[in-house]
Amino acid sequence: MELIFRFFTAIWLLQVILLTPILNAEKTYLQFHSIADTGERHSQEYCAMYDICGERSDGKVLNCPYGSPSVKPDELFSAKIQSLCPAISGNVCCTEKQFDTLRAQVQQAIPFLVGCPACLRNFLNLFCELSCSPDQSLFINVTSVSELNGNLTVDGIDFYVTDAFGEELFSSCKDVKFGTMNTRAIEFIGAGAKNFKEWFAFIGQQAPPGSIGSPYAINFKSSALELSGMEPMNVSTYSCGDTSLGCSCGDCPSSPICSSSEPPSPHREDTCSISFGVFKVQCVEFSLVVVYILLVGGVIGWATFSLKIERRRAASGMEPLLESTAAGETDSVYLENYENHAMKVREMVPQPTNGIELHGIQGHISGFYRKYGIWVARHPTMVLLLSLAVVIVLSLGLIRLKVETRPEKLWVGHGSQAAEEKQFFDSHLAPFYRIEQLILATLPEIKHERPPSIITEDNIKLLFEIQEKVDGIRVNYSGSLVSLADICLKPLGQDCATQSVLQYYKMDPENFDYYGGVAHAEYCFQHFTSTETCLSAFKAPLDPSTALGGFAGNNYSEASAFVVTYPVNNAIDKAGDENSKAVAWEKAFIQLVKEELLPMVQSRNLTLSYSSESSIEEELKRESTADVITIVVSYLVMFAYISVTLGDTPHLSTFYLSSKVLLGLSGVILVMLSVLGSVGFFSAIGVKSTLIIMEVIPFLVLAVGVDNMCILVHAVKRQSFHLPLEERISNALMEVGPSITLASLSEILAFAVGSFIPMPACRVFSMFAALAVLLDFLLQITAFVSLMVFDCLRAEDNRIDCFPCIKVPSSDGDAGEGIHQRRPGLLARYMQEIHAPLLGLWGVKMLVIAVFAAFALASIALSMRIETGLEQKIVLPRDSYLQGYFNNVSEYLRVGPPLYFVVRDYNYSQESSDTNKLCSINHCDSNSLLNEISRASVIPESTYIAKPAASWLDDFLVWISPEAFGCCRKFTNGTYCPPDDQPPCCLPDEGSCDFGGVCKDCTTCFRHSDLINDRPSTEQFREKLPWFLDALPSNDCAKGGHGAYTTSVDLNGFESGIIRASEFRTYHTPLNKQGDYVNSMQAAREFSSRVSDALKMNVFPYSVFYIFFEQYLDIWRVALINIAVAIGAIFVVCLVITSSVWISVIIVLVLVMIVADLMGVMAILGIQLNAVSVVNLVMSIGIAVEFCVHIAHAFLVSNGNRDQRMKAALSTMGASVFSGITLTKLVGVIVLFFSRSEIFVVYYFQMYLALVLVGFLHGLVFLPVALSLFGPPARHTIEPTGPVHLS
């Protein structure tokens, strides 16, 4: 799951080489006392410094500080000057060697700026005027000199430049992108200057030997003294908005062609609200209040009117409203055949003998169960053996049991768009690398205060110690030792692309003191893009935001955490030798951290959190054993409870006979067999199990299965002890069989609906659960009924429970057993004498309706506040080391995940316009993909795009541009010629590089006349693209594509003119909450869809976390559809079995209220909406049926008026619903509170506890009241036929 945190893509930023010194020289500072003696003069056609008077040890030349008249160049030299400095004509103030030095140095800046010709022209003019202007002395004043080998050289100058020129220069360049770094070019050539004065200050800094910067101080001034004869330089400038210069909208948002392409406005959700004075209420909430008032008022009014009518009719001998005329006789007529005993009400069981005619399916089911009960009672052994044999055969499939632990296989649905896009990205470009990470942080001295900075000498040295131990890891894999260097990502050279502040010291502890200790790191935080000594060991700048955490803005020195990331090579689908080596190393890495690094860090009063690519999977595997004890305890507690609740009221003299311990144990075993049978069946057909299945389904089926066992046993105990055993079993099944069948079918259907959830873990869970509940139901009506027969025979034969082979002599207590069985218990008497009469009071009914309606409507309002997502910490054990890691990631990280915009089937042929639809340099379309990305990055709060995109296409077009003359070059034989500072032009052991050697005859790949509108032809594109992707970046050409874009383009089959896949990389903003991940993905997809439609190209966004968060884009739709389907299926089942639309509607209404209340509880407890909670909601519908269907069925088959039937239903089934359903579920749920897995506590303990409480209240409080007010009329009655005798 931590894939969503794999956003340290600074390792891609491998080709950034900064602007090197304009002029470099060894500096010895001397006061230049007599400038006049050097012949200085400030006038036109006069130079302030001319020729070269020295050369430093590193080969860099120094100018002479002597003034002299300007010189007329020869024709060839003049042409060379015009090619770089078209504004200078005639005489010049530079020699050819000076000009070659200027050209070599500015060529390093050209690739940064060539995408915007106006900026490049202004930038070149600044240095052309400084170096070669014939009027140089008018705005250059040499203020100090230094001595080198006996010669004076320039040491400091004043450079007078007008503010207007500075403003226009900065304005034209400030927005120019440097795509390779996903940032602006000003970060590199201006150290992030915010105005032209800061830029000039950076350019004019006097750098020490060996450092980048000017070898002498350049003091930029905007005005000169009138008597000095000097005038500030103010050559013509070019606006980036000048359409003739073709700057793109990404480089120049102020361009007129971009004015009509404003960035998209931030998305604002339309929220309707109504104000009442100072109070503001949402429209939905206000509407629900109105509905509540109307609903409750209407119910109270209707109930009051009905009560008056009923009383009038009762007084006049008329039937109650809506009662069937066929049920006109009172209940006493039908009760005359029964004993006038305390059990009189309880004998009103729903069977034909109590005067109710059962219609349709319900009658057939009751008839079936009556005959089936007699048959089972006569053949219990055969039924038991056959049922067990079937389940045991299914359980044999367990030999093929396989458990799926890979996150992407558990949480990503088949056919997922994100999964298909990931597969396309991985196969055509490259899979995202593996991440190993350490977060070292300080602790606050006082709680709730800001922790101190981690940037101290001791902490950096500690980090070196940690790095040494990590580098020392050696793992034996297939007979060879594997180290980090063997598996790490190495974009260039032999150095790992480790993201760490140690890179500012080239990962070498000896450089710590040599570079200046902590001060060097703090300097690099601000100059990581502009100082050579700050470059990493892998030859790229290191953005401090990727290696530091816990800071605000750009205050890197206040960081309270070091973030160390080790990118490791990855392979597709985790196959192959590379990943096996990496996994082995990762295990050793985690072990090292636990055993050595953690104690070492904690001893320094610091914290250390850590993670590897395989950590999630390993921790999920460990979780499979974390809750074994919880499951075992749950079964033991349930067994103890069921043993007590199935037994009769305890009497010391007969306890050993009337207890049901052995029956309870047998029932628990049957539940286990049903689970094993379900898992075995699916394992046999090749469906992999999951850890949730192995841990949750046993509990779930136990809670569901025990309910029906209690109801069956209680139904048998309600039968007259004087009836034959066969008839008792038959009557009991006929009494509760239809309701048990209805409840079980509803549960099975509800669980089966969950199999339509796209997330594999939840879909498979629902399939396993549905089959397990089905098998459990079948075992209940077969094996468990047989066991009840054996238990009754045992009790009648005076055999001891748990020891049925031991028989005790008959006693007087035996004769009373039947009385004990028929005597109502405390709970039954409460239901009959207190609960039912209380709910029959009119005022209580109105209060119940008002309270439950308020809860339901309030829950609907609250449900709109439920957030989507699944916190990754929840799926892990509470004691997992990843818990702290995820907390620190959210707290410390300041960068977002990488975002790739992938383009399919890019046609680069000359006839196609695709190139201009994608690029963002000069002559590109204003609404091109990269320009649109740049605009979107302006409003990151709504687009979640943090930066402009790194564009291989832009850099390639710049690389082949004739202006970037140090980049695309060729030998005379037409083969690729690298820049002058790379082999073979410049060998590493030669020290400095000169302009001679093997590359002296290299020429640029193209002249302007070779290109068409600055674009290559199809053949030129085809030939030079591989050159670009293989070109190493260097000082002379920072645009080389090797490293940064090696995997950005799929070259397979590109010779046809079509590039099947390429990507443009940017970043999301930092994402801290689950909602941020969902919203960022949705925003990226909406952006890509809009751009694809506008450009008529196939563009899609990709980020490593999309595959896990895609489900949340439409999770509400999935949830509501599945809930509706489940409720609809249950309605159909109820309608078929009860043959009553009326009762089916009431049951569905109660189920809807239960689900609404459950969602309200989710909002209150902060439980997020995800596939797990959706499955729970769907399954809760099936479980909630149990709280309703038995009461509703008992009401349906009772006679009398509504109040009488409601009281009869509660007296008959109320105690069973409370003790057999509510308490059994409550006992099983409470055990889950002690689970070590947070997902159990949140999504199973909290949600199921809420379900049990809400279901209990609705089933035993609201439903009886609703039935007494709105229940269907009594069925037609038939004359009682007396006892039924079995043949």
Side-chain angles (χ1 to χ4, degrees):
M1 190 83 62
E2 90 240 48
L3 291 173
I4 68 169
F5 297 104
R6 289 190 276 171
F7 41 86
F8 290 95
T9 54
I11 58 173
W12 295 94
L13 314 177
L14 303 169
Q15 53 175 316
V16 178
I17 304 300
L18 310 183
L19 175 63
T20 53
I22 301 168
L23 299 171
N24 295 279
E26 182 71 32
K27 292 180 292 292
T28 304
Y29 292 95
L30 299 172
Q31 182 63 39
F32 192 29
H33 294 291
S34 182
I35 296 178
D37 294 339
T38 67
E40 180 195 6
R41 196 172 69 189
H42 301 298
S43 62
Q44 293 184 349
E45 299 294 333
Y46 204 84
C47 306
M49 46 188 182
Y50 182 79
D51 209 352
I52 294 172
C53 285
E55 184 175 306
R56 297 197 324 182
S57 59
D58 59 4
K60 297 177 182 178
V61 297
L62 299 170
N63 289 344
C64 301
Y66 307 115
S68 64
S70 58
V71 177
K72 182 174 179 63
D74 60 35
E75 187 174 346
L76 179 61
F77 183 29
S78 178
K80 290 175 64 175
I81 293 176
Q82 283 284 302
S83 67
L84 186 68
C85 307
I88 297 179
S89 59
N91 294 348
V92 296
C93 281
C94 59
T95 65
E96 191 162 358
K97 188 173 182 181
Q98 280 182 293
F99 178 79
D100 289 338
T101 300
L102 170 66
R103 181 184 177 94
Q105 291 168 351
V106 297
Q107 80 174 38
Q108 298 166 9
I110 287 175
F112 291 87
L113 307 176
V114 71
C116 181
C119 168
L120 177 62
R121 189 73 271 148
N122 293 334
F123 183 81
L124 291 178
N125 281 346
L126 177 69
F127 292 101
C128 286
E129 294 294 318
L130 170 66
S131 301
C132 294
S133 171
D135 301 326
Q136 187 187 67
S137 64
L138 287 177
F139 45 82
I140 296 292
N141 183 38
V142 179
T143 57
S144 63
V145 297
S146 61
E147 185 176 354
L148 181 64
N149 297 327
N151 296 326
L152 292 180
T153 59
V154 174
D155 185 56
I157 65 172
D158 287 340
F159 188 2
Y160 294 89
V161 181
T162 63
D163 287 346
F165 180 88
E167 290 280 7
E168 288 297 325
L169 169 64
F170 182 77
S171 177
S172 64
C173 294
K174 65 180 180 179
D175 294 313
V176 175
K177 302 186 305 298
F178 181 55
T180 309
M181 280 287 289
N182 296 93
T183 188
R184 304 293 177 184
I186 198 71
E187 297 289 338
F188 296 87
I189 62 174
K194 301 296 186 295
N195 52 61
F196 80 91
K197 292 183 178 180
E198 291 183 7
W199 193 4
F200 283 172
F202 168 73
I203 293 174
Q205 286 178 351
Q206 188 173 29
S211 298
I212 281 188
S214 173
Y216 53 82
I218 303 177
N219 184 20
F220 285 89
K221 295 184 176 182
S222 59
S223 61
L225 295 175
E226 293 184 6
L227 298 179
S228 67
M230 301 184 69
E231 299 176 1
M233 189 272 290
N234 190 28
V235 297
S236 299
T237 55
Y238 301 90
S239 169
C240 70
D242 187 343
T243 56
S244 65
L245 295 175
C247 291
S248 70
C249 292
D251 292 332
C252 183
S254 62
S255 174
I257 62 173
C258 308
S259 59
S260 60
S261 303
E262 295 296 325
S265 58
H267 175 69
R268 293 185 176 88
E269 295 184 0
D270 295 329
T271 55
C272 173
S273 60
I274 300 175
S275 299
F276 296 93
V278 296
F279 299 101
K280 180 177 288 187
V281 181
Q282 299 295 326
C283 292
V284 173
E285 297 171 354
F286 178 77
S287 301
L288 291 174
V289 171
V290 173
V291 170
Y292 173 74
I293 295 174
L294 295 176
L295 179 65
V296 174
V299 170
I300 293 176
W302 180 86
T304 303
F305 176 76
S306 299
L307 182 63
K308 292 181 180 179
I309 297 297
E310 187 173 328
R311 286 176 177 174
R312 290 176 184 174
R313 292 187 176 183
S316 61
M318 298 175 62
E319 284 297 306
L321 185 65
L322 296 178
E323 288 292 339
S324 171
T325 55
E329 298 182 64
T330 62
D331 294 344
S332 60
V333 175
Y334 301 101
L335 299 175
E336 290 176 355
N337 293 322
Y338 296 93
E339 298 176 352
N340 186 16
H341 189 270
M343 291 295 294
K344 178 174 65 175
V345 177
R346 297 183 63 80
E347 288 290 344
M348 293 169 54
V349 294
Q351 52 183 317
T353 54
N354 78 338
I356 297 298
E357 180 182 0
L358 300 179
H359 296 282
I361 300 296
Q362 190 175 13
H364 291 296
I365 293 177
S366 296
F368 165 77
Y369 275 116
R370 181 170 182 80
K371 296 177 183 179
Y372 173 74
I374 295 173
W375 184 78
V376 173
R378 291 174 178 173
H379 308 93
T381 303
M382 181 178 67
V383 173
L384 179 62
L385 294 178
L386 287 175
S387 58
L388 292 179
V390 172
V391 178
I392 291 173
V393 169
L394 292 176
S395 301
L396 294 177
L398 290 170
I399 61 177
R400 298 188 59 188
L401 174 65
K402 293 182 180 179
V403 180
E404 184 63 80
T405 58
R406 291 176 294 175
E408 67 273 16
K409 298 296 183 182
L410 291 173
W411 308 110
V412 181
H414 177 71
S416 158
Q417 178 183 340
E420 292 177 356
E421 290 170 350
K422 179 182 184 299
Q423 194 278 333
F424 181 88
F425 187 92
D426 290 350
S427 59
H428 287 84
L429 300 170
F432 202 80
Y433 43 83
R434 305 171 71 87
I435 289 294
E436 335 297 343
Q437 199 165 71
L438 298 172
I439 300 179
L440 184 70
T442 57
L443 291 171
E445 297 178 359
I446 301 177
K447 193 174 183 180
H448 303 305
E449 283 195 358
R450 180 180 177 81
S453 171
I454 200 169
I455 314 297
T456 66
E457 180 175 343
D458 290 340
N459 290 337
I460 293 178
K461 288 184 176 179
L462 173 62
L463 198 59
F464 272 118
E465 294 179 35
I466 293 174
Q467 184 62 45
E468 183 180 4
K469 290 184 177 293
V470 173
D471 287 337
I473 295 176
R474 297 293 184 273
V475 180
N476 192 331
Y477 177 80
S478 299
S480 61
L481 294 179
V482 178
S483 67
L484 176 62
D486 298 321
I487 60 174
C488 70
L489 191 66
K490 301 175 183 177
L492 293 172
Q494 298 301 314
D495 293 294
C496 296
T498 300
Q499 305 297 289
S500 169
V501 293
L502 302 183
Q503 291 288 5
Y504 297 131
Y505 305 97
K506 304 294 189 288
M507 302 298 289
D508 187 350
E510 294 183 0
N511 287 338
F512 180 75
D513 291 325
Y514 178 75
Y515 282 178
V518 175
H520 175 71
E522 293 178 336
Y523 175 80
C524 289
F525 295 160
Q526 304 300 329
H527 304 88
F528 68 97
T529 60
S530 56
T531 303
E532 188 172 4
T533 55
C534 294
L535 290 181
S536 65
F538 59 93
K539 308 296 189 299
L542 177 73
D543 189 335
S545 62
T546 65
L548 297 172
F551 57 89
N554 292 327
N555 298 321
Y556 300 117
S557 296
E558 298 178 359
S560 58
F562 288 140
V563 182
V564 183
T565 308
Y566 303 101
V568 171
N569 290 314
N570 201 357
I572 298 177
D573 294 332
K574 300 190 176 181
D577 186 57
E578 282 297 319
N579 278 344
S580 299
K581 288 181 180 180
V583 171
W585 187 89
E586 287 163 359
K587 292 180 179 179
F589 170 71
I590 296 298
Q591 184 178 0
L592 172 72
V593 177
K594 290 181 178 179
E595 296 178 357
E596 297 186 37
L597 301 186
L598 199 56
M600 183 170 67
V601 168
Q602 291 173 343
S603 66
R604 311 286 183 92
N605 197 31
L606 301 172
T607 65
L608 180 65
S609 57
Y610 50 98
S611 170
S612 72
E613 182 74 13
S614 56
S615 287
I616 290 286
E617 187 171 342
E618 293 298 323
E619 287 297 280
L620 288 177
K621 290 179 181 177
R622 186 173 71 85
E623 186 184 31
S624 63
T625 59
D627 289 301
V628 171
I629 295 178
T630 304
I631 298 299
V632 172
V633 171
S634 177
Y635 269 70
L636 292 176
V637 170
M638 192 70 77
F639 162 65
Y641 173 77
I642 193 176
S643 299
V644 172
T645 194
L646 292 184
D648 298 324
T649 305
H651 288 270
L652 185 61
S653 60
T654 60
F655 176 73
Y656 51 87
L657 296 178
S658 61
S659 67
K660 307 288 184 183
V661 175
L662 188 59
L663 182 62
L665 176 61
S666 302
V668 172
I669 292 175
L670 291 179
V671 172
M672 295 177 61
L673 287 175
S674 66
V675 174
L676 294 176
S678 175
V679 176
F681 171 78
F682 284 109
S683 298
I685 63 176
V687 179
K688 290 185 178 181
S689 182
T690 67
L691 300 178
I692 294 180
I693 288 173
M694 299 172 66
E695 296 174 348
V696 177
I697 287 184
F699 148 76
L700 182 64
V701 179
L702 181 67
V704 171
V706 167
D707 302 345
N708 291 341
M709 295 177 195
C710 292
I711 290 173
L712 285 169
V713 172
H714 290 168
V716 172
K717 288 161 63 176
R718 281 197 298 270
Q719 307 305 313
S720 172
F721 183 70
H722 300 292
L723 293 175
L725 177 60
E726 295 176 358
E727 189 167 350
R728 276 184 279 155
I729 297 295
S730 174
N731 288 346
L733 286 177
M734 185 173 62
E735 175 186 340
V736 299
S739 61
I740 286 179
T741 302
L742 176 57
S744 298
L745 287 179
S746 299
E747 290 167 345
I748 294 167
L749 282 175
F751 292 171
V753 167
S755 63
F756 294 101
I757 301 290
M759 182 182 288
C762 297
R763 183 176 67 249
V764 173
F765 174 82
S766 300
M767 293 164 51
F768 277 65
L771 181 58
V773 172
L774 174 61
L775 293 176
D776 185 54
F777 167 67
L778 296 176
L779 287 176
Q780 288 165 3
I781 62 175
T782 54
F784 189 73
V785 173
S786 301
L787 292 170
M788 286 196 307
V789 172
F790 287 128
D791 187 71
C792 291
L793 293 174
R794 173 197 61 76
E796 292 175 1
D797 201 25
N798 292 333
R799 296 183 181 275
I800 299 177
D801 189 23
C802 296
F803 303 97
C805 295
I806 301 176
K807 183 177 181 180
V808 298
S810 299
S811 65
D812 293 340
D814 297 337
E817 184 179 350
I819 297 176
H820 298 329
Q821 284 185 316
R822 296 187 58 192
R823 179 179 300 167
L826 179 64
L827 186 58
R829 290 201 302 272
Y830 164 78
M831 288 291 174
Q832 177 182 344
E833 299 171 6
I834 299 177
H835 190 75
L838 181 65
L839 293 182
L841 299 177
W842 186 86
V844 173
K845 291 181 181 181
M846 295 302 101
L847 179 63
V848 168
I849 294 294
V851 170
F852 278 80
F855 281 156
L857 295 176
S859 295
I860 293 174
L862 285 172
S863 65
M864 299 178 184
R865 302 179 183 180
I866 297 177
E867 295 183 356
T868 59
L870 176 62
E871 292 292 344
Q872 37 215 349
K873 297 183 295 184
I874 288 181
V875 303
L876 299 167
R878 287 178 172 179
D879 60 349
S880 171
Y881 61 86
L882 291 177
Q883 297 285 357
Y885 169 75
F886 286 133
N887 288 333
N888 285 352
V889 162
S890 300
E891 180 178 358
Y892 294 121
L893 295 194
R894 295 295 184 266
V895 290
L899 168 62
Y900 302 90
F901 287 97
V902 182
V903 178
R904 300 192 194 195
D905 300 327
Y906 158 42
N907 186 344
Y908 65 81
S909 65
Q910 187 174 341
E911 297 76 18
S912 172
S913 60
D914 284 1
T915 297
N916 288 338
K917 290 180 179 178
L918 296 177
C919 64
S920 62
I921 60 173
N922 53 314
H923 303 306
C924 296
D925 293 349
S926 62
N927 66 335
S928 68
L929 171 63
L930 291 163
N931 280 330
E932 290 296 320
I933 295 173
S934 182
R935 289 193 192 96
S937 67
V938 176
I939 48 171
E941 64 278 2
S942 62
T943 63
Y944 295 90
I945 297 175
K947 299 181 178 182
S951 169
W952 68 267
L953 181 58
D954 282 357
D955 285 355
F956 171 62
L957 296 177
V958 168
W959 186 80
I960 65 174
S961 170
E963 281 86 357
F965 45 80
C967 293
C968 184
R969 308 198 306 169
K970 60 185 177 180
F971 288 110
T972 54
N973 62 2
T975 59
Y976 173 63
C977 176
D980 283 325
D981 59 351
Q982 293 183 23
C985 304
C986 179
L987 299 179
D989 56 357
E990 290 184 354
S992 61
C993 302
D994 54 32
F995 300 107
V998 297
C999 299
K1000 64 179 181 179
D1001 294 327
C1002 288
T1003 59
T1004 57
C1005 293
F1006 305 110
R1007 298 186 300 271
H1008 279 290
S1009 59
D1010 298 327
L1011 304 175
I1012 302 175
N1013 294 326
D1014 290 335
R1015 297 292 183 262
S1017 66
T1018 306
E1019 183 59 37
Q1020 291 168 341
F1021 197 113
R1022 182 186 301 117
E1023 179 186 4
K1024 297 304 184 290
L1025 180 59
W1027 286 17
F1028 165 71
L1029 296 177
D1030 288 336
L1032 293 170
S1034 66
N1035 283 4
D1036 283 355
C1037 182
K1039 291 290 186 178
H1042 187 73
Y1045 302 123
T1046 302
T1047 60
S1048 295
V1049 185
D1050 181 11
L1051 293 182
N1052 292 323
F1054 90 108
E1055 297 84 356
S1056 64
I1058 303 293
I1059 295 177
R1060 293 194 58 195
S1062 63
E1063 51 89 353
F1064 301 93
R1065 182 185 67 256
T1066 181
Y1067 297 90
H1068 278 302
T1069 53
L1071 309 175
N1072 298 318
K1073 300 184 299 181
Q1074 295 284 295
D1076 292 339
Y1077 287 95
V1078 178
N1079 294 336
S1080 65
M1081 180 181 183
Q1082 186 170 15
R1085 285 194 168 178
E1086 290 176 355
F1087 172 85
S1088 295
S1089 176
R1090 176 172 60 84
V1091 171
S1092 296
D1093 292 341
L1095 302 181
K1096 308 301 180 185
M1097 298 185 71
N1098 192 339
V1099 181
F1100 70 84
Y1102 170 74
S1103 192
V1104 290
F1105 68 86
Y1106 284 2
I1107 192 172
F1108 300 109
F1109 285 86
E1110 182 185 37
Q1111 57 179 303
Y1112 305 121
L1113 295 180
D1114 61 349
I1115 192 69
W1116 274 107
R1117 181 184 62 83
V1118 171
L1120 295 177
I1121 289 176
N1122 281 275
I1123 289 173
V1125 171
I1127 290 177
I1130 291 173
F1131 173 78
V1132 173
V1133 172
C1134 291
L1135 181 61
V1136 170
I1137 292 181
T1138 63
S1139 300
S1140 171
V1141 176
W1142 204 321
I1143 205 74
S1144 301
V1145 170
I1146 292 177
I1147 290 175
V1148 166
L1149 172 65
V1150 176
L1151 293 180
V1152 171
M1153 293 178 66
I1154 290 174
V1155 173
D1157 287 353
L1158 191 56
M1159 295 180 73
V1161 173
M1162 287 176 60
I1164 294 173
L1165 297 179
I1167 299 176
Q1168 296 171 313
L1169 188 69
N1170 49 56
V1172 178
S1173 53
V1174 168
V1175 169
N1176 284 347
L1177 287 172
V1178 173
M1179 291 193 299
S1180 70
I1181 299 172
I1183 296 175
V1185 170
E1186 290 196 69
F1187 293 100
C1188 307
V1189 69
H1190 300 292
I1191 298 293
H1193 181 263
F1195 177 88
L1196 189 64
V1197 298
S1198 298
N1199 49 33
N1201 61 32
R1202 291 190 180 91
D1203 273 343
Q1204 292 169 336
R1205 291 158 63 206
M1206 178 268 286
K1207 294 175 183 177
L1210 283 175
S1211 300
T1212 303
M1213 296 301 299
S1216 295
V1217 170
F1218 182 79
S1219 63
I1221 297 178
T1222 304
L1223 292 184
T1224 53
K1225 287 180 170 57
L1226 195 62
V1227 169
V1229 166
I1230 289 176
V1231 176
L1232 291 178
F1233 173 75
F1234 303 98
S1235 170
R1236 294 172 60 189
S1237 299
E1238 193 72 16
I1239 193 171
F1240 272 45
V1241 176
V1242 174
Y1243 288 95
Y1244 294 99
F1245 168 71
Q1246 293 182 2
M1247 286 194 70
Y1248 279 95
L1249 178 62
L1251 171 62
V1252 171
L1253 297 178
V1254 171
F1256 154 71
L1257 292 173
H1258 281 79
L1260 291 181
V1261 179
F1262 178 77
L1263 178 62
V1265 170
L1267 290 173
S1268 69
L1269 291 174
F1270 314 110
R1275 295 280 175 86
H1276 294 288
T1277 59
I1278 60 174
E1279 293 297 327
T1281 57
V1284 178
H1285 299 283
L1286 305 175
S1287 57

